[in-house]
């Protein structure tokens, strides 16, 4: 980690470099105005100090010209910050299509991480360099926040829904991972590292059956450490009987799910919705909330019958149906 | 106003009109109520400050070796709850506002004096509940009470603390209501809206925010109560609730609350800079309207606290866009204050030094707000020490510096005694240096990724933490020094005349301390505000220099 006295901290992605540019721009503007204000106050305090026998000063003529000119000028500068910041923010919320997806579950007080091939780890995330990585995150209890300063990214991790964060590291190394949202007693110990490896290093690490994976499997109580989320989802899809209604043949009671993820769904009430992770989650747990047009509301509610982890796996499977099996 | 001076020489004023404890506890005199608030707030400030000293000591080392994590979490929560709900929000309105506002508008008391007294009792009830919550085991949710942690997971006195904050809110509402009605209905003859001192304008804007915002946080706190106590699902997803809904409701009040804390300070600074520059405020109307503009726009920016909380990207953009609009009237005010000094006649007594401190620190606080209103930089900075530094620059550097400046400025009026100038200047400098040493390193900590509310931290951050703790000790010393000489001056300070600063405004036309009825002859206003171009109408023998020879 760079010294805290260096101007900028470790930069481990292109996004971090772009954030730093914006940061330096706002810093320059701020330093300029703070120094200007300080200079004027000091100069005036000295130059116009009260001397014995001074006459009473004239009251100012206020015609608002100065205020309007200064205010408009400032607004232009502020709009530059706004658009610049909004552009990067938008980009930061749009993971590339080919991003590798890692499932993240936050709980008091650890990060549970699962790779596409099913390998699990805790608190240390291994990822390959120069590969876009998308995290799909949820929490088992309170709100957490996944924060990697070296990538300049952060997003809250919420119970009962999915949030995302993505980054593309461009430098191998070990970087801090913090929980940024206060989550109770051991909040400051809900920390870890992101280890950015070379492509080969990552492949090798994936195939190793190191202590991490075994430990993770034990800690999460899952014996299926090496079953990928998609495979697990496919298994659950069959076990819960989803395929009885959700199939491609004529007369199916439920919509065929191939191609559903990411597509617009027309609903019974005339509105439409993009089928993202949160929509799928709601449709599994509380299927009556948004019914796809042309289907009867006959699906049972799975709330309380199915674990969070299982929902996530079924969603991973449904997503794989839309990417023609290239996922995982 | 020779009548005012003659009363002063007779020696009857609001402080010595009656002497019993009961005469204080049952008083409906706005001045006495203001002083009772001052005493209570000093106690709360000491409690909140002591908590800060303890956790700053813990943060000297990366390991959690001085305090257990539970204790650390309870201390920062206590610091936040006490300082925000029981010091900053009431500070200027309840102390200086209560004392000065009726005098500034030239009336005998606020519109509803009994309601005013009730507000102090309600405030103390809320404060005592919060205090019981703290000593009876503590609260560990952070002052923000984020759900579902606060409603389902925290094992501490959440309900008691929430009740305390809920009840204290009503005292703010009572005070605000009193101010709005007093300003509308009780102004002296000749005192038109645009002759009002800017302090009164600031109180008016603040009161509107309090009246519109506080009920929302009250409802929100009740929702925490019912979810925690009765398991009624509102915020907890396991019960079908939405945890982010809480953040929307909470910040709908708590962002405007920042303006409740800073607008009064801006009012104080306007009074001080005009007086010590002997010049009418540059762009009086602009400053008056900008207080209202800030109060209104302040209600539309709450979503900037949730740029990384799963709020939609587009909502984030709208909130960011609107947030930049608050910056404009704020920046123009700084320009107006600076331009007031241009071609003024400036003297540098302690109140003016605090006003300078306010200008410098508040400008830094405002500028660093731009990093947080900008979406992309906020992603990185959200919930780090950068945010901690930013809001301390605004609320302590702005809010508290303004309060202290006002306290020194009106100290002779409130107590009838001058504070010792040399000590006051020394303390003002110590506080300014200590403050910057405490909080400036935290900007750097934040950009390097140090998250807030951390009991332990990676060793790389230690140097900056040590600087911050050192600064906190200097700052604490400055505050204690000030408490010492202000206390001393109550008995030994030089007697103050009616108008020791040669200031303008109705409060300087009555004796120091004022009589119970404020004015023996109801005042009539003939000048614009800040008529510093004319000689004072207060008789010259009431100036301290001439009084000592009298």
């Amino acid at each position: 980690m760079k010294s805290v006295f260096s101007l900028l901290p470790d930069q481990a992605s292109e996004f971090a470099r772009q954030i730093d540019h914006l940061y330096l721009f706002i810093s320059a503007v701020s330093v300029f105005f703070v120094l200007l204000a300080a200079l004027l106050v000091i100069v005036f305090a000295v130059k116009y100090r009260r001397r014995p026998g001074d006459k009473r000063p004239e009251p100012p003529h206020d015609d608002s010209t100065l205020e309007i000119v200064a205010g408009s000028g400032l607004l232009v500068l502020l709009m530059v910050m706004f658009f610049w910041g909004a552009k990067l923010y938008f980009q930061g919320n749009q993971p590339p299509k080919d991003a590798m997806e890692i499932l993240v579950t936050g709980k008091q007080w650890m990060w549970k991480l699962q790779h596409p091939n099913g390998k699990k780890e805790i608190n240390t995330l291994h990822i390959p360099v120069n590969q876009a990585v998308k995290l799909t995150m949820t929490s088992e209890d309170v709100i957490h926040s996944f924060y990697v300063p070296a990538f300049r990214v952060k997003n809250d991790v919420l119970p009962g829904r999915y949030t995302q964060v993505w980054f593309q590291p461009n430098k191998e190394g070990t970087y801090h991972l913090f929980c940024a949202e206060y989550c109770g007693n051991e909040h400051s110990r809900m920390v870890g590292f992101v280890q950015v490896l070379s492509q080969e290093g990552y492949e090798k690490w994936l195939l190793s059956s190191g202590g991490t994976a075994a430990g993770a499997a034990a800690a999460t109580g899952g014996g299926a450490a090496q079953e990928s989320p998609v495979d697990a989802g496919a298994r659950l899809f069959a076990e819960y009987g989803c395929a009885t209604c959700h199939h491609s043949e004529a007369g199916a009671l439920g919509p065929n799910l191939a191609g559903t993820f990411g597509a617009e769904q027309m609903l019974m009430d005339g509105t439409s919705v993009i089928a993202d992770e949160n929509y799928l989650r709601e449709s599994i747990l509380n299927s009556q909330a948004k019914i796809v047009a042309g289907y009867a509301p006959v699906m049972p509610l799975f709330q309380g019958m199915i674990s969070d982890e299982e929902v996530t796996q079924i969603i991973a499977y449904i997503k794989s149906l839309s990417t023609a099996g290239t996922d995982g | 106003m020779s009548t005012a001076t003659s009363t002063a020489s007779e020696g009857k004023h609001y402080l010595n009109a009656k002497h019993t404890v009961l005469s204080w506890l049952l008083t409906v005199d706005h001045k006495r109520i203001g002083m009772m608030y001052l005493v209570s707030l000093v106690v709360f400030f000491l409690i909140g400050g002591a908590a800060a000293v303890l956790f700053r000591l813990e943060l000297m080392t990366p390991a959690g070796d001085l305090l257990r994590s539970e204790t650390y979490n309870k201390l920062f929560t206590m610091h936040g709850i006490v300082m925000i709900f029981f010091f900053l929000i009431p500070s200027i309105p309840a102390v200086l506002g209560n004392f000065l506002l009726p005098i500034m508008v030239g009336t005998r008391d606020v519109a509803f004096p009994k309601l005013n007294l009730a507000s102090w009792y309600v405030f103390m009830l809320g404060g005592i509940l919060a205090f019981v919550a703290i000593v009876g085991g503590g609260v560990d949710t952070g002052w923000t009470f984020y759900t579902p942690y606060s409603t389902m997971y925290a094992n501490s006195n959440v309900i008691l603390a929430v009740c305390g904050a809920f009840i204290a809110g009503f005292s703010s509402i009572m005070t605000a209501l009193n101010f709005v009605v007093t300003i509308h209905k009780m102004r002296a003859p000749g005192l038109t809206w645009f002759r009002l001192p800017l302090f009164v304008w600031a109180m008016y804007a603040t009161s509107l925010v309090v009246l519109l915002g506080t009920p929302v946080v009250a409802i929100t706190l009740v929702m925490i109560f019912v979810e925690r106590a009765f398991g009624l699902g509102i915020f907890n997803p396991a019960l079908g609730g939405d945890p982010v809904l809480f953040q929307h409701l909470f910040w709908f009040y708590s962002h405007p609350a920042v303006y409740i804390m800073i607008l009064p300070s801006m009012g104080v600074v306007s009074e001080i800079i005009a007086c010590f520059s002997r010049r009418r405020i540059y762009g009086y109307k602009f400053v008056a309207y900008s207080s209202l503009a800030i109060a209104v726009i302040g209600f539309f920016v709450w979503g900037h606290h949730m740029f990384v909380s799963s709020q939609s990207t587009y909502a984030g953009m709208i909130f960011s866009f609107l947030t930049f609009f608050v910056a404009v009237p704020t920046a123009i005010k700084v320009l107006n204050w600076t331009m007031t000094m241009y071609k003024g006649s400036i003297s540098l007594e302690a109140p003016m030094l605090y006003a300078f401190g306010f200008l410098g620190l508040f400008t830094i606080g405002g500028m660093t707000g731009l990093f947080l209103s900008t979406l992309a930089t906020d992603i990185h900075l959200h919930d780090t020490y950068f945010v901690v530094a930013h809001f301390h620059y605004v609320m302590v550097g702005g809010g508290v510096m303004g309060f202290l400046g006002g306290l020194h400025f009106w100290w002779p009026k409130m107590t009838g005694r001058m504070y010792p100038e040399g000590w006051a200047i020394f303390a003002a400098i110590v506080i300014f240096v200590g403050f910057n040493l405490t909080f400036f390193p935290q900007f750097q900590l934040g950009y390097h990724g140090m998250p807030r509310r951390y009991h332990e931290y990676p060793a790389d951050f230690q140097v900056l933490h040590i600087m911050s703790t050192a600064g906190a000790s200097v700052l604490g010393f400055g505050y204690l020094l000030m408490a010492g000489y202000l206390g001393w001056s109550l008995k030994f300070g030089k007697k103050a005349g009616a108008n020791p600063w040669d200031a303008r405004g109705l409060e300087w036309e009555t004796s120091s301390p004022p009589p119970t009825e404020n004015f023996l002859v109801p005042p009539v206003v003939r000048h614009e505000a800040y008529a510093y171009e004319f000689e004072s109408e207060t008789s010259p023998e009431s100036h301290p220099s001439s009084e000592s020879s009298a």
Side-chain angles (χ1 to χ4, degrees), chain B residues 18-46:
Chain B
K18 286 180 188 153
H19 288 283
T20 59
V21 173
L22 213 58
S23 78
W24 279 90
L25 290 178
L26 297 178
T27 185
V28 289
D29 182 345
H30 65 99
K31 300 182 286 301
R32 286 190 161 208
I33 294 169
M35 294 308 266
M36 279 155 60
Y37 263 114
L38 177 60
V39 173
S40 330
L41 292 189
V42 168
V43 173
F44 284 119
F45 187 76
L46 282 175

mmCIF file of all heavy atoms in Angstrom, chain B residues 18-46:
data_model
loop_
_atom_site.group_PDB
_atom_site.id
_atom_site.type_symbol
_atom_site.label_atom_id
_atom_site.label_comp_id
_atom_site.label_asym_id
_atom_site.label_seq_id
_atom_site.Cartn_x
_atom_site.Cartn_y
_atom_site.Cartn_z
ATOM 1 N N LYS B 18 -35.373 38.458 40.202
ATOM 2 C CA LYS B 18 -35.775 37.489 41.228
ATOM 3 C C LYS B 18 -34.597 36.559 41.438
ATOM 4 O O LYS B 18 -33.779 36.371 40.533
ATOM 5 C CB LYS B 18 -36.988 36.673 40.757
ATOM 6 C CG LYS B 18 -38.293 37.449 40.770
ATOM 7 C CD LYS B 18 -39.420 36.547 40.297
ATOM 8 C CE LYS B 18 -40.704 37.347 40.109
ATOM 9 N NZ LYS B 18 -41.563 36.715 39.101
ATOM 10 N N HIS B 19 -34.522 35.931 42.608
ATOM 11 C CA HIS B 19 -33.320 35.145 42.894
ATOM 12 C C HIS B 19 -33.546 33.665 43.150
ATOM 13 O O HIS B 19 -32.605 32.897 43.111
ATOM 14 C CB HIS B 19 -32.580 35.755 44.091
ATOM 15 C CG HIS B 19 -31.912 37.051 43.742
ATOM 16 N ND1 HIS B 19 -30.735 37.105 43.037
ATOM 17 C CD2 HIS B 19 -32.277 38.321 43.963
ATOM 18 C CE1 HIS B 19 -30.397 38.371 42.851
ATOM 19 N NE2 HIS B 19 -31.317 39.134 43.396
ATOM 20 N N THR B 20 -34.789 33.249 43.447
ATOM 21 C CA THR B 20 -34.979 31.858 43.851
ATOM 22 C C THR B 20 -34.769 30.901 42.672
ATOM 23 O O THR B 20 -34.896 31.291 41.508
ATOM 24 C CB THR B 20 -36.406 31.650 44.390
ATOM 25 O OG1 THR B 20 -37.314 32.012 43.349
ATOM 26 C CG2 THR B 20 -36.650 32.509 45.610
ATOM 27 N N VAL B 21 -34.460 29.647 43.011
ATOM 28 C CA VAL B 21 -34.335 28.604 41.982
ATOM 29 C C VAL B 21 -35.659 28.473 41.244
ATOM 30 O O VAL B 21 -35.708 28.347 40.026
ATOM 31 C CB VAL B 21 -33.941 27.268 42.639
ATOM 32 C CG1 VAL B 21 -33.975 26.139 41.617
ATOM 33 C CG2 VAL B 21 -32.559 27.371 43.267
ATOM 34 N N LEU B 22 -36.740 28.528 42.018
ATOM 35 C CA LEU B 22 -38.059 28.396 41.419
ATOM 36 C C LEU B 22 -38.326 29.517 40.412
ATOM 37 O O LEU B 22 -38.978 29.313 39.390
ATOM 38 C CB LEU B 22 -39.119 28.427 42.532
ATOM 39 C CG LEU B 22 -40.364 27.569 42.253
ATOM 40 C CD1 LEU B 22 -39.986 26.120 42.025
ATOM 41 C CD2 LEU B 22 -41.376 27.717 43.385
ATOM 42 N N SER B 23 -37.785 30.708 40.688
ATOM 43 C CA SER B 23 -38.021 31.825 39.771
ATOM 44 C C SER B 23 -37.352 31.558 38.429
ATOM 45 O O SER B 23 -37.730 32.117 37.411
ATOM 46 C CB SER B 23 -37.507 33.133 40.378
ATOM 47 O OG SER B 23 -36.100 33.205 40.262
ATOM 48 N N TRP B 24 -36.332 30.696 38.429
ATOM 49 C CA TRP B 24 -35.743 30.267 37.150
ATOM 50 C C TRP B 24 -36.565 29.142 36.543
ATOM 51 O O TRP B 24 -36.879 29.166 35.350
ATOM 52 C CB TRP B 24 -34.297 29.808 37.360
ATOM 53 C CG TRP B 24 -33.338 30.958 37.435
ATOM 54 C CD1 TRP B 24 -32.954 31.645 38.558
ATOM 55 C CD2 TRP B 24 -32.664 31.581 36.333
ATOM 56 N NE1 TRP B 24 -32.073 32.637 38.224
ATOM 57 C CE2 TRP B 24 -31.870 32.629 36.868
ATOM 58 C CE3 TRP B 24 -32.640 31.353 34.962
ATOM 59 C CZ2 TRP B 24 -31.069 33.454 36.072
ATOM 60 C CZ3 TRP B 24 -31.836 32.165 34.162
ATOM 61 C CH2 TRP B 24 -31.074 33.208 34.727
ATOM 62 N N LEU B 25 -36.900 28.143 37.351
ATOM 63 C CA LEU B 25 -37.563 26.952 36.805
ATOM 64 C C LEU B 25 -38.956 27.259 36.281
ATOM 65 O O LEU B 25 -39.467 26.541 35.430
ATOM 66 C CB LEU B 25 -37.635 25.851 37.866
ATOM 67 C CG LEU B 25 -36.282 25.226 38.211
ATOM 68 C CD1 LEU B 25 -36.439 24.178 39.304
ATOM 69 C CD2 LEU B 25 -35.629 24.612 36.974
ATOM 70 N N LEU B 26 -39.593 28.297 36.795
ATOM 71 C CA LEU B 26 -40.949 28.624 36.345
ATOM 72 C C LEU B 26 -40.974 29.907 35.522
ATOM 73 O O LEU B 26 -42.036 30.455 35.258
ATOM 74 C CB LEU B 26 -41.895 28.756 37.553
ATOM 75 C CG LEU B 26 -42.092 27.479 38.370
ATOM 76 C CD1 LEU B 26 -43.010 27.732 39.554
ATOM 77 C CD2 LEU B 26 -42.672 26.366 37.501
ATOM 78 N N THR B 27 -39.825 30.383 35.112
ATOM 79 C CA THR B 27 -39.789 31.655 34.391
ATOM 80 C C THR B 27 -40.414 31.526 33.002
ATOM 81 O O THR B 27 -40.335 30.473 32.379
ATOM 82 C CB THR B 27 -38.350 32.157 34.252
ATOM 83 O OG1 THR B 27 -38.390 33.442 33.645
ATOM 84 C CG2 THR B 27 -37.523 31.224 33.358
ATOM 85 N N VAL B 28 -41.046 32.583 32.554
ATOM 86 C CA VAL B 28 -41.472 32.596 31.148
ATOM 87 C C VAL B 28 -40.687 33.664 30.391
ATOM 88 O O VAL B 28 -41.001 33.977 29.254
ATOM 89 C CB VAL B 28 -42.993 32.845 31.001
ATOM 90 C CG1 VAL B 28 -43.768 31.623 31.463
ATOM 91 C CG2 VAL B 28 -43.421 34.077 31.769
ATOM 92 N N ASP B 29 -39.648 34.231 31.033
ATOM 93 C CA ASP B 29 -38.806 35.240 30.385
ATOM 94 C C ASP B 29 -37.902 34.559 29.352
ATOM 95 O O ASP B 29 -37.106 33.679 29.696
ATOM 96 C CB ASP B 29 -37.972 35.939 31.471
ATOM 97 C CG ASP B 29 -37.099 37.045 30.895
ATOM 98 O OD1 ASP B 29 -36.925 37.084 29.658
ATOM 99 O OD2 ASP B 29 -36.585 37.856 31.685
ATOM 100 N N HIS B 30 -38.011 34.959 28.104
ATOM 101 C CA HIS B 30 -37.232 34.322 27.035
ATOM 102 C C HIS B 30 -35.733 34.382 27.309
ATOM 103 O O HIS B 30 -34.981 33.509 26.898
ATOM 104 C CB HIS B 30 -37.553 34.988 25.692
ATOM 105 C CG HIS B 30 -37.130 36.425 25.609
ATOM 106 N ND1 HIS B 30 -35.970 36.811 24.997
ATOM 107 C CD2 HIS B 30 -37.690 37.555 26.103
ATOM 108 C CE1 HIS B 30 -35.849 38.132 25.103
ATOM 109 N NE2 HIS B 30 -36.880 38.601 25.769
ATOM 110 N N LYS B 31 -35.273 35.415 28.019
ATOM 111 C CA LYS B 31 -33.834 35.551 28.288
ATOM 112 C C LYS B 31 -33.371 34.490 29.281
ATOM 113 O O LYS B 31 -32.333 33.869 29.110
ATOM 114 C CB LYS B 31 -33.539 36.959 28.828
ATOM 115 C CG LYS B 31 -33.924 38.073 27.851
ATOM 116 C CD LYS B 31 -33.588 39.452 28.357
ATOM 117 C CE LYS B 31 -34.512 39.936 29.458
ATOM 118 N NZ LYS B 31 -35.945 39.996 29.084
ATOM 119 N N ARG B 32 -34.184 34.304 30.333
ATOM 120 C CA ARG B 32 -33.832 33.280 31.313
ATOM 121 C C ARG B 32 -33.900 31.889 30.684
ATOM 122 O O ARG B 32 -33.056 31.026 30.958
ATOM 123 C CB ARG B 32 -34.767 33.361 32.513
ATOM 124 C CG ARG B 32 -34.448 34.552 33.393
ATOM 125 C CD ARG B 32 -35.202 34.497 34.688
ATOM 126 N NE ARG B 32 -34.567 35.371 35.675
ATOM 127 C CZ ARG B 32 -34.625 35.180 36.989
ATOM 128 N NH1 ARG B 32 -35.291 34.163 37.470
ATOM 129 N NH2 ARG B 32 -34.014 36.008 37.805
ATOM 130 N N ILE B 33 -34.900 31.664 29.831
ATOM 131 C CA ILE B 33 -35.005 30.349 29.179
ATOM 132 C C ILE B 33 -33.783 30.119 28.294
ATOM 133 O O ILE B 33 -33.211 29.033 28.269
ATOM 134 C CB ILE B 33 -36.334 30.245 28.392
ATOM 135 C CG1 ILE B 33 -37.502 30.280 29.376
ATOM 136 C CG2 ILE B 33 -36.369 28.979 27.546
ATOM 137 C CD1 ILE B 33 -38.861 30.452 28.740
ATOM 138 N N GLY B 34 -33.347 31.167 27.602
ATOM 139 C CA GLY B 34 -32.132 31.053 26.796
ATOM 140 C C GLY B 34 -30.936 30.669 27.653
ATOM 141 O O GLY B 34 -30.140 29.804 27.270
ATOM 142 N N MET B 35 -30.806 31.277 28.836
ATOM 143 C CA MET B 35 -29.684 30.953 29.712
ATOM 144 C C MET B 35 -29.795 29.522 30.252
ATOM 145 O O MET B 35 -28.789 28.827 30.403
ATOM 146 C CB MET B 35 -29.608 31.952 30.883
ATOM 147 C CG MET B 35 -29.284 33.376 30.464
ATOM 148 S SD MET B 35 -27.813 33.513 29.431
ATOM 149 C CE MET B 35 -26.569 33.842 30.664
ATOM 150 N N MET B 36 -31.019 29.064 30.524
ATOM 151 C CA MET B 36 -31.189 27.684 30.984
ATOM 152 C C MET B 36 -30.773 26.706 29.887
ATOM 153 O O MET B 36 -30.129 25.684 30.161
ATOM 154 C CB MET B 36 -32.644 27.445 31.396
ATOM 155 C CG MET B 36 -32.934 27.970 32.796
ATOM 156 S SD MET B 36 -34.658 28.390 33.085
ATOM 157 C CE MET B 36 -35.510 26.870 32.807
ATOM 158 N N TYR B 37 -31.121 27.048 28.666
ATOM 159 C CA TYR B 37 -30.663 26.211 27.547
ATOM 160 C C TYR B 37 -29.140 26.214 27.470
ATOM 161 O O TYR B 37 -28.506 25.192 27.214
ATOM 162 C CB TYR B 37 -31.232 26.735 26.221
ATOM 163 C CG TYR B 37 -32.486 26.029 25.750
ATOM 164 C CD1 TYR B 37 -33.703 26.689 25.687
ATOM 165 C CD2 TYR B 37 -32.441 24.714 25.337
ATOM 166 C CE1 TYR B 37 -34.852 26.061 25.233
ATOM 167 C CE2 TYR B 37 -33.574 24.070 24.881
ATOM 168 C CZ TYR B 37 -34.783 24.745 24.828
ATOM 169 O OH TYR B 37 -35.903 24.096 24.377
ATOM 170 N N LEU B 38 -28.537 27.385 27.692
ATOM 171 C CA LEU B 38 -27.075 27.465 27.593
ATOM 172 C C LEU B 38 -26.416 26.511 28.584
ATOM 173 O O LEU B 38 -25.514 25.737 28.220
ATOM 174 C CB LEU B 38 -26.606 28.910 27.843
ATOM 175 C CG LEU B 38 -25.091 29.123 27.833
ATOM 176 C CD1 LEU B 38 -24.476 28.736 26.495
ATOM 177 C CD2 LEU B 38 -24.734 30.575 28.160
ATOM 178 N N VAL B 39 -26.913 26.518 29.831
ATOM 179 C CA VAL B 39 -26.327 25.643 30.843
ATOM 180 C C VAL B 39 -26.515 24.175 30.443
ATOM 181 O O VAL B 39 -25.573 23.373 30.477
ATOM 182 C CB VAL B 39 -26.963 25.929 32.222
ATOM 183 C CG1 VAL B 39 -26.492 24.908 33.250
ATOM 184 C CG2 VAL B 39 -26.629 27.351 32.664
ATOM 185 N N SER B 40 -27.733 23.811 29.997
ATOM 186 C CA SER B 40 -27.970 22.415 29.616
ATOM 187 C C SER B 40 -27.088 22.006 28.459
ATOM 188 O O SER B 40 -26.525 20.908 28.444
ATOM 189 C CB SER B 40 -29.429 22.195 29.203
ATOM 190 O OG SER B 40 -30.293 23.065 29.881
ATOM 191 N N LEU B 41 -26.939 22.896 27.479
ATOM 192 C CA LEU B 41 -26.174 22.534 26.284
ATOM 193 C C LEU B 41 -24.694 22.382 26.602
ATOM 194 O O LEU B 41 -24.017 21.540 26.017
ATOM 195 C CB LEU B 41 -26.368 23.586 25.184
ATOM 196 C CG LEU B 41 -27.771 23.630 24.584
ATOM 197 C CD1 LEU B 41 -27.805 24.538 23.364
ATOM 198 C CD2 LEU B 41 -28.251 22.252 24.199
ATOM 199 N N VAL B 42 -24.184 23.182 27.546
ATOM 200 C CA VAL B 42 -22.779 23.021 27.934
ATOM 201 C C VAL B 42 -22.566 21.619 28.496
ATOM 202 O O VAL B 42 -21.580 20.942 28.175
ATOM 203 C CB VAL B 42 -22.372 24.107 28.952
ATOM 204 C CG1 VAL B 42 -21.027 23.775 29.583
ATOM 205 C CG2 VAL B 42 -22.315 25.472 28.270
ATOM 206 N N VAL B 43 -23.530 21.154 29.316
ATOM 207 C CA VAL B 43 -23.400 19.811 29.889
ATOM 208 C C VAL B 43 -23.400 18.759 28.780
ATOM 209 O O VAL B 43 -22.547 17.861 28.742
ATOM 210 C CB VAL B 43 -24.544 19.543 30.897
ATOM 211 C CG1 VAL B 43 -24.519 18.096 31.372
ATOM 212 C CG2 VAL B 43 -24.439 20.510 32.074
ATOM 213 N N PHE B 44 -24.342 18.884 27.828
ATOM 214 C CA PHE B 44 -24.390 17.897 26.739
ATOM 215 C C PHE B 44 -23.120 17.954 25.890
ATOM 216 O O PHE B 44 -22.603 16.927 25.448
ATOM 217 C CB PHE B 44 -25.629 18.113 25.864
ATOM 218 C CG PHE B 44 -26.889 17.613 26.508
ATOM 219 C CD1 PHE B 44 -27.937 18.471 26.801
ATOM 220 C CD2 PHE B 44 -27.037 16.269 26.832
ATOM 221 C CE1 PHE B 44 -29.104 18.015 27.398
ATOM 222 C CE2 PHE B 44 -28.194 15.795 27.431
ATOM 223 C CZ PHE B 44 -29.231 16.679 27.722
ATOM 224 N N PHE B 45 -22.609 19.159 25.683
ATOM 225 C CA PHE B 45 -21.388 19.308 24.877
ATOM 226 C C PHE B 45 -20.220 18.604 25.569
ATOM 227 O O PHE B 45 -19.414 17.939 24.913
ATOM 228 C CB PHE B 45 -21.082 20.796 24.675
ATOM 229 C CG PHE B 45 -19.946 21.066 23.735
ATOM 230 C CD1 PHE B 45 -20.119 20.945 22.363
ATOM 231 C CD2 PHE B 45 -18.694 21.443 24.204
ATOM 232 C CE1 PHE B 45 -19.071 21.199 21.483
ATOM 233 C CE2 PHE B 45 -17.641 21.694 23.332
ATOM 234 C CZ PHE B 45 -17.840 21.573 21.969
ATOM 235 N N LEU B 46 -20.150 18.726 26.901
ATOM 236 C CA LEU B 46 -19.074 18.059 27.637
ATOM 237 C C LEU B 46 -19.198 16.542 27.527
ATOM 238 O O LEU B 46 -18.200 15.842 27.335
ATOM 239 C CB LEU B 46 -19.110 18.474 29.113
ATOM 240 C CG LEU B 46 -18.529 19.857 29.405
ATOM 241 C CD1 LEU B 46 -18.718 20.210 30.879
ATOM 242 C CD2 LEU B 46 -17.040 19.884 29.041
#
